[in-house]
C-alpha cells in the first residue's frame, strides 16, 4: 500500500494547504478515493454539508462503508502476513503476542459473531472497560464491524463514572476482563463493573475476558466468559463475518470527555470522515513508511489510542505496537527496552511521561539501542523546552524530528503539527495547521485578531495571541454530544459565532508557528488527562462534612498541572490529615484516582463577588504562589478572606 496523498516537501505542504483551503470538497474527495467504500463518493457535491449554527456537519453522507474493511480486509491481499498489532505485556518476562492482518481478521470476525450471538445489533451501544490487551482492540473492531457504537471507558475510572456513562449512552452491553496488570498492581475491572451495574439494571450482557484470572463474580443470565463464547463460534464453522454496511455519517463511537461544567459529555464520531481524517493525519504527520513499527504509548481508553493505535495505523496497513504496562515498571527503562526489542521506528508519547522519565537521569538509557527511531511525537499537553530538548538529544540522538501534535477528543485527529522531517519543528511549538484545517484566533470579545484568518491565504508577519477557534469543518470533527445536541452547540459553537471554539489559548509567531498555551476555560490538564474543575468540586462536595469547595490548577513539574482544592468544612476537623484522606477517597470513588487533588487547603470562606461568584482568578494566583499580583480584591464580599487563604497556602 502506498500513500499518494503523503506530502513530501515543504513547498508541497504549502501548495497542498492552499488547495485544501481554496477547494476543501475537492481536496477531501481526492483523498477519500483511496479507501474501500461500498458506495464511494464520486462528486464534490457528496463531500460536505454544513452549518455551525445548529451545528450540522455531514461528510460523505449517503456514501457507504465499513471502517473495518479499510482497517483489515483491504490489507489481506498484499499484507496478510504483515503484523497489524504487536502486543508487549506488562511483565517483560511474559510472552509478547503478534497478530498479522490475517490473524486480526480472523479474531475480529470471530468476536463479531460472539457479539451477534449475544444479541448486539447495529446502532447498539457497547461499553468497553478493559486493560491494554489485544482483545481490547479486537473488541473495538468487532463492534465497528457489526455496526454497534463503542464507548471505551478508561480502566482508571470508578464504578460511579462507568454508571454515569452507561446511563447516558443507554449501553446494554459491556465487554470487560477479570483484572488488568498495571506495573506491580492488579486492577479488578470486573468487580468495578459489578459495582456500576447496581445502578444499571438495563444492562443485558457482560462479556468477561480472562486475563489475570483473579476471582470474579459471574451472574447467571447476565455474565458470560469471552472464551466460552468463542468456543461456541468455533463450532458454528465459517469464521468470516461480513461487515455491516454503514452510512458514512452513522456513529462509530462515543468517547466521554470533561468540560467546564457538570458531567462528562459523550463526543460522537462517525464512520467515514473519522476514517479518512485519522488515516490522512497518521500518514502525513508521522510520514509513515511501509514496514515501520509505530509505538503509541497512550491507552485505547483515550482518543489518542482510538486514532493512533487502532484506526489511523490499521487503516494505513501499518504495524501498531500496543503496550500493557507503565513506563516506570520494572524500571524507568521500560520504553527504551521496548524500542530496542522491536526496533521501533516511531515513538508517540506524552510530555508528562517524558518528564517523569527525565527525572530518573541517564541510567535507564544505558545500553539501550535506540537507533531504529526515526520520528518522535508528543501529544496531550504543551511540552516544555527542557523536556523537548531531552527527548531530542537523549532519545532521538539529535537525529529525529519531533512532531508536537495539538488536537482534542473532539477533533478526532491531529489538527496542528509539523510533518516529520517535511515541515520544520520548533521546540514547544505545534507549528503549522494540517491541510484542510483553518485555525483562527479571536479575542475575548469575539473579534477576530487581525491577520489570523487562515482562509485569506495571508501568511502572518507578527506575533499574535488569542483564543483558538476553527472556521471550517474537517472530516474528523465531532458531530454531536450523545443524546444532547444542544449541549454540543452550547459548548463548542456558541462562544464565537460561526466557529468551533477549542477552549485553548494560543500564540502564533512571526513565521506562522502556533504554540498552544493551555486551556482558557475551567478544564485542567493533569498528566495529559482532561479533568473539569466543576466535576472535582462536585465530588468533593459530596463528602459529608464539606460545605463548599473551589478547585483550580497549578503548575506541577511532572504532571503539567496539579489539582489544588480549597475546601470549607462544616466544622473544623480534629484530624485534618484524616479528613483529607477521606476526601481523596470520596473523589476516587466518584470519579477515579486520576482526579484526586494534589493539595487540599481548608479555609473558612472563599473569595466571592457581591453577587456570590467565586473569584477563581485569585485562587489560581494563590495556588500558583503569585501572591504579589492578586489584582483588585476590593470588589470582594469579604476581602479579609484573601489574607487568611494566602497565609494558609500549602
Ligand atoms: C486538550 C485536549 C489530543 C489527544 C490527547 C488529549 C491539550 C493536546 C496538545 C499539544 C498543547 C495540547 C489542549 C487540548 N493538548 N495536545 N500538542 N500542545 N496542548 O485529548 O483529553 O481531548 O485534551 O489537550 O489543551 O484542548 P483531550
Amino acid at each position: 500500500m502506498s500513500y499518494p496523498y503523503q506530502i513530501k516537501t515543504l513547498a508541497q505542504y504549502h501548495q497542498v494547504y492552499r488547495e485544501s483551503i481554496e477547494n476543501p470538497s475537492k481536496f477531501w474527495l481526492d483523498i477519500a478515493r483511496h479507501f474501500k467504500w461500498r458506495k464511494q463518493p464520486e462528486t464534490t457535491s457528496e463531500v460536505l454539508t454544513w452549518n455551525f449554527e445548529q451545528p450540522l456537519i455531514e461528510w460523505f453522507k449517503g456514501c457507504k462503508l465499513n471502517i473495518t474493511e479499510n482497517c483489515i480486509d483491504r490489507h489481506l491481499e498484499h499484507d496478510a502476513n504483515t503484523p497489524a498489532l504487536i502486543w508487549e505485556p506488562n511483565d517483560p518476562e511474559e510472552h509478547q503476542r503478534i497478530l498479522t492482518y490475517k490473524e486480526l481478521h480472523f479474531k475480529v470476525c470471530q468476536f463479531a459473531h460472539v457479539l451477534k450471538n449475544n444479541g448486539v445489533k447495529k446502532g447498539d451501544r457497547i461499553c468497553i472497560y478493559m486493560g491494554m490487551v489485544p482483545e481490547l482492540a479486537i473488541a473495538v473492531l468487532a463492534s465497528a464491524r457489526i455496526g454497534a457504537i463503542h464507548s471505551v471507558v478508561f480502566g482508571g475510572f470508578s464504578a460511579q463514572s462507568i454508571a454515569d456513562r452507561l446511563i447516558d449512552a443507554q449501553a446494554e452491553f459491556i465487554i470487560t476482563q477479570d483484572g488488568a496488570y498495571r506495573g506491580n498492581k492488579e486492577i479488578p475491572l470486573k468487580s468495578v463493573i459489578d459495582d456500576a451495574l447496581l445502578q444499571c439494571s438495563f444492562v443485558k450482557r457482560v462479556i468477561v475476558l480472562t486475563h489475570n484470572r483473579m476471582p470474579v463474580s459471574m451472574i447467571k443470565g447476565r455474565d458470560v466468559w469471552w472464551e466460552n463464547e468463542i468456543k461456541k463460534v468455533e463450532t458454528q464453522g465459517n469464521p468470516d463475518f461480513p461487515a455491516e454496511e454503514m452510512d458514512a455519517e452513522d456513529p462509530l463511537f462515543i468517547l466521554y470527555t470533561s468540560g467546564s461544567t457538570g458531567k462528562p459529555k459523550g463526543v460522537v464520531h462517525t464512520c467515514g470522515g473519522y476514517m479518512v481524517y485519522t488515516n490522512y493525519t497518521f500518514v502525513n504527520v508521522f510520514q509513515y513508511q511501509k514496514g515501520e513499527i509505530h509505538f503509541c504509548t497512550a491507552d485505547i481508553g483515550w482518543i489518542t489510542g482510538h486514532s493512533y493505535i487502532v484506526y489511523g495505523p490499521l487503516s494505513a496497513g501499518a504495524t501498531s505496537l500496543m503496550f500493557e504496562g507503565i513506563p516506570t515498571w520494572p524500571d524507568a527503562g521500560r520504553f527504551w527496552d521496548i524500542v530496542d526489542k522491536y526496533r521501533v521506528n516511531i515513538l508517540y508519547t506524552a510530555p508528562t511521561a517524558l518528564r517523569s522519565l527525565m527525572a530518573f537521569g541517564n541510567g535507564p538509557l544505558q545500553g539501550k539501542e535506540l537507533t531504529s527511531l526515526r520520528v518522535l511525537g508528543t501529544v496531550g499537553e504543551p511540552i516544555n523546552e527542557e523536556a523537548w530538548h531531552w527527548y531530542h538529544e537523549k532519545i532521538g540522538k539529535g537525529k529525529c524530528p519531533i512532531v508536537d501534535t495539538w488536537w482534542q477528543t473532539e477533533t478526532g485527529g491531529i489538527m496542528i503539527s509539523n510533518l516529520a522531517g517535511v515541515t520544520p519543528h520548533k521546540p514547544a511549538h505545534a507549528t503549522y495547521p494540517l491541510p484542510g484545517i483553518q485555525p483562527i484566533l479571536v479575542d475575548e470579545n469575539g473579534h477576530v485578531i487581525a491577520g489570523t484568518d487562515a482562509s485569506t491565504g495571508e501568511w502572518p508577519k507578527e506575533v499574535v495571541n488569542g483564543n483558538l477557534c476553527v472556521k471550517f469543518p474537517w472530516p474528523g470533527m465531532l458531530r454531536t454530544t450523545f443524546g444532547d445536541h444542544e449541549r454540543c452547540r452550547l459548548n463548542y459553537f456558541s462562544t464565537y459565532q460561526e466557529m468551533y471554539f477549542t477552549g485553548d489559548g494560543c500564540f502564533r509567531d512571526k513565521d506562522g508557528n502556533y504554540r498552544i498555551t493551555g486551556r482558557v476555560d475551567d478544564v485542567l490538564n493533569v498528566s495529559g488527562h482532561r479533568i473539569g474543575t466543576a466535576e472535582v468540586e462536585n465530588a468533593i462536595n459530596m463528602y459529608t462534612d464539606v460545605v463548599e469547595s473551589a478547585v483550580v490548577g497549578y503548575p506541577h513539574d511532572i504532571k503539567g498541572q496539579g489539582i489544588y482544592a480549597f475546601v470549607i468544612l462544616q466544622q473544623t476537623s480534629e484530624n485534618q490529615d484524616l479528613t483529607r484522606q477521606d476526601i481523596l477517597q470520596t473523589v476516587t470513588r466518584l470519579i477515579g484516582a486520576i482526579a484526586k487533588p494534589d493539595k487540599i487547603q481548608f479555609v473558612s470562606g472563599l473569595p466571592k463577588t457581591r453577587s456570590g461568584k467565586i473569584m477563581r482568578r485569585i485562587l489560581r494566583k494563590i495556588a500558583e504562589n503569585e501572591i504579589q499580583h492578586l489584582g483588585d480584591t476590593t470588589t470582594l464580599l469579604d476581602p479579609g478572606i484573601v489574607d487568611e487563604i494566602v497565609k494558609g497556602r500549602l
Side-chain angles (χ1 to χ4, degrees):
M1 195 179 185
S2 70
Y3 315 109
Y5 44 86
Q6 193 171 53
I7 295 166
K8 290 289 168 205
T9 64
L10 180 59
Q12 194 193 353
Y13 162 78
H14 285 296
Q15 188 202 330
V16 170
Y17 185 77
R18 203 175 323 111
E19 288 167 3
S20 78
I21 302 304
E22 282 165 8
N23 198 342
S25 290
K26 177 171 185 308
F27 172 72
W28 290 112
L29 178 66
D30 287 344
I31 294 161
R33 288 186 208 282
H34 299 282
F35 293 79
K36 184 177 164 89
W37 299 84
R38 299 275 182 94
K39 179 183 175 298
Q40 103 154 18
E42 308 275 359
T43 64
T44 50
S45 62
E46 289 168 284
V47 175
L48 172 65
T49 307
W50 72 287
N51 73 67
F52 276 175
E53 291 89 72
Q54 291 180 295
L56 170 83
I57 300 132
E58 290 172 343
W59 286 90
F60 314 114
K61 177 131 175 135
C63 301
K64 308 290 178 189
L65 77 158
N66 186 293
I67 195 168
T68 70
E69 291 190 328
N70 287 273
C71 289
I72 310 174
D73 303 51
R74 69 163 165 163
H75 309 310
L76 294 180
E77 195 181 337
H78 299 294
D79 277 312
N81 298 317
T82 300
L85 286 175
I86 296 178
W87 178 72
E88 170 68 15
N90 179 62
D91 184 345
E93 307 285 304
E94 261 198 47
H95 277 300
Q96 73 211 37
R97 284 172 61 190
I98 295 175
L99 292 174
T100 63
Y101 275 97
K102 192 168 140 202
E103 289 161 337
L104 184 64
H105 178 260
F106 180 80
K107 297 251 178 220
V108 168
C109 285
Q110 253 192 341
F111 197 65
H113 278 293
V114 167
L115 294 178
K116 190 173 180 193
N117 290 345
N118 280 278
V120 178
K121 296 181 304 298
K122 177 176 179 174
D124 287 344
R125 274 79 57 211
I126 305 181
C127 171
I128 304 180
Y129 186 66
M130 299 177 84
M132 282 286 285
V133 293
E135 286 78 6
L136 166 53
I138 291 166
V140 161
L141 291 163
S143 167
R145 194 156 184 98
I146 198 168
I149 302 169
H150 57 76
S151 162
V152 183
V153 177
F154 172 64
F157 280 114
S158 70
Q160 186 59 50
S161 296
I162 299 167
D164 293 342
R165 286 156 174 75
L166 287 170
I167 292 166
D168 187 81
Q170 284 296 301
E172 296 178 332
F173 303 92
I174 297 179
I175 306 168
T176 188
Q177 66 194 56
D178 44 6
Y181 297 108
R182 240 185 107 69
N184 58 6
K185 294 203 194 88
E186 294 188 37
I187 318 289
L189 296 175
K190 173 59 164 68
S191 148
V192 177
I193 289 289
D194 289 335
D195 288 342
L197 292 193
L198 297 174
Q199 298 177 50
C200 305
S201 51
F202 53 84
V203 169
K204 291 186 189 153
R205 185 72 78 237
V206 184
I207 302 176
V208 185
L209 174 82
T210 62
H211 185 59
N212 71 340
R213 206 50 194 100
M214 72 201 304
V216 293
S217 91
M218 291 292 283
I219 304 297
K220 191 180 292 168
R222 188 194 71 187
D223 301 351
V224 297
W225 296 109
W226 174 299
E227 292 78 5
N228 285 353
E229 297 305 296
I230 292 286
K231 277 194 200 117
K232 289 184 201 162
V233 173
E234 279 164 356
T235 59
Q236 282 172 4
N238 181 14
D240 191 26
F241 188 99
E244 183 76 28
E245 183 169 292
M246 307 294 282
D247 191 277
E249 278 300 335
D250 282 336
L252 173 64
F253 66 86
I254 305 171
L255 192 57
Y256 285 86
T257 190
S258 297
S260 45
T261 49
K263 295 247 189 266
K265 33 188 191 293
V267 169
V268 175
H269 286 286
T270 57
C271 296
Y274 177 81
M275 169 183 76
V276 170
Y277 197 67
T278 52
N279 177 288
Y280 182 76
T281 52
F282 173 74
V283 163
N284 279 292
V285 171
F286 301 104
Q287 289 289 304
Y288 186 79
Q289 307 296 317
K290 239 12 262 252
E292 285 190 328
I293 302 204
H294 172 78
F295 176 21
C296 166
T297 70
D299 191 291
I300 293 179
W302 308 111
I303 191 71
T304 308
H306 282 60
S307 300
Y308 299 109
I309 295 177
V310 182
Y311 291 114
L314 297 183
S315 68
T319 298
S320 182
L321 197 159
M322 195 176 160
F323 172 42
E324 183 185 29
I326 57 172
T328 48
W329 188 86
D331 59 53
R334 192 69 172 104
F335 278 0
W336 323 127
D337 285 328
I338 296 173
V339 170
D340 190 337
K341 175 173 175 186
Y342 298 101
R343 321 292 304 135
V344 167
N345 305 103
I346 304 168
L347 176 66
Y348 189 32
T349 194
T352 188
L354 296 173
R355 287 191 299 263
S356 78
L357 294 175
M358 251 168 85
F360 288 88
N362 296 333
L365 288 163
Q366 294 300 311
K368 311 290 159 79
E369 175 68 56
L370 304 178
T371 50
S372 57
L373 288 171
R374 185 180 61 80
V375 174
L376 304 173
T378 72
V379 59
E381 47 176 328
I383 183 165
N384 47 315
E385 294 217 9
E386 195 192 353
W388 194 98
H389 286 291
W390 184 81
Y391 202 21
H392 192 244
E393 303 313 323
K394 299 286 184 230
I395 307 305
K397 315 289 181 203
K399 289 184 187 144
C400 302
I402 296 181
V403 290
D404 176 350
T405 64
W406 174 82
W407 58 297
Q408 309 178 296
T409 303
E410 294 85 348
T411 71
I414 297 165
M415 300 285 282
I416 303 182
S417 172
N418 49 312
L419 311 181
V422 172
T423 66
H425 63 200
K426 176 173 180 180
H429 286 70
T431 76
Y432 297 165
L434 279 256
I437 303 306
Q438 304 190 20
I440 185 162
L441 300 188
V442 291
D443 66 19
E444 268 134 53
N445 307 316
H447 299 304
V448 173
I449 296 170
T452 68
D453 182 347
S455 67
T456 61
E458 258 177 74
W459 207 248
K461 289 151 212 83
E462 299 168 56
V463 179
V464 286
N465 169 16
N467 290 346
L468 178 60
C469 295
V470 188
K471 231 189 89 150
F472 194 86
W474 63 99
M477 75 186 299
L478 86 165
R479 302 299 194 263
T480 188
T481 46
F482 193 81
D484 193 352
H485 193 62
E486 176 60 7
R487 193 163 174 210
C488 173
R489 189 187 71 79
L490 280 174
N491 254 293
Y492 305 106
F493 299 94
S494 71
T495 318
Y496 302 110
Q497 269 192 1
E498 285 162 63
M499 290 178 202
Y500 166 81
F501 177 44
T502 64
D504 280 320
C506 161
F507 272 100
R508 204 186 52 188
D509 73 7
K510 61 178 180 16
D511 301 315
N513 291 301
Y514 290 82
R515 180 163 69 84
I516 284 71
T517 48
R519 305 289 305 195
V520 294
D521 52 7
D522 290 320
V523 171
L524 306 181
N525 190 327
V526 181
S527 302
H529 300 155
R530 214 157 121 180
I531 298 169
T533 54
E535 248 181 287
V536 183
E537 287 166 6
N538 289 345
I540 295 174
N541 296 348
M542 289 293 282
Y543 180 68
T544 155
D545 286 337
V546 169
V547 178
E548 197 179 7
S549 65
V551 165
V552 296
Y554 70 97
H556 187 288
D557 284 349
I558 306 279
K559 297 178 173 184
Q561 272 190 307
I563 306 180
Y564 197 125
F566 299 89
V567 176
I568 307 174
L569 293 177
Q570 235 147 39
Q571 59 224 19
T572 36
S573 151
E574 311 240 302
N575 186 339
Q576 291 211 346
D577 267 344
L578 190 56
T579 307
R580 274 199 190 92
Q581 299 292 330
D582 281 351
I583 293 175
L584 293 182
Q585 190 63 20
T586 309
V587 173
T588 306
R589 283 279 172 204
L590 292 175
I591 308 176
I594 55 171
K596 278 199 301 196
D598 299 275
K599 294 182 180 180
I600 299 176
Q601 180 181 349
F602 296 117
V603 295
S604 70
L606 292 167
K608 286 189 181 173
T609 60
R610 294 207 172 85
S611 61
K613 213 174 149 267
I614 297 175
M615 298 276 280
R616 286 163 183 289
R617 178 178 54 78
I618 294 176
L619 292 175
R620 238 177 263 132
K621 297 260 180 201
I622 296 174
E624 289 167 4
N625 206 7
E626 290 273 326
I627 45 179
Q628 269 71 21
H629 317 95
L630 288 182
D632 186 11
T633 55
T634 52
T635 56
L636 291 178
L637 199 55
D638 172 14
I641 197 69
V642 175
D643 291 337
E644 180 211 299
I645 300 178
V646 168
K647 282 204 193 85
R649 197 185 156 274
L650 299 173

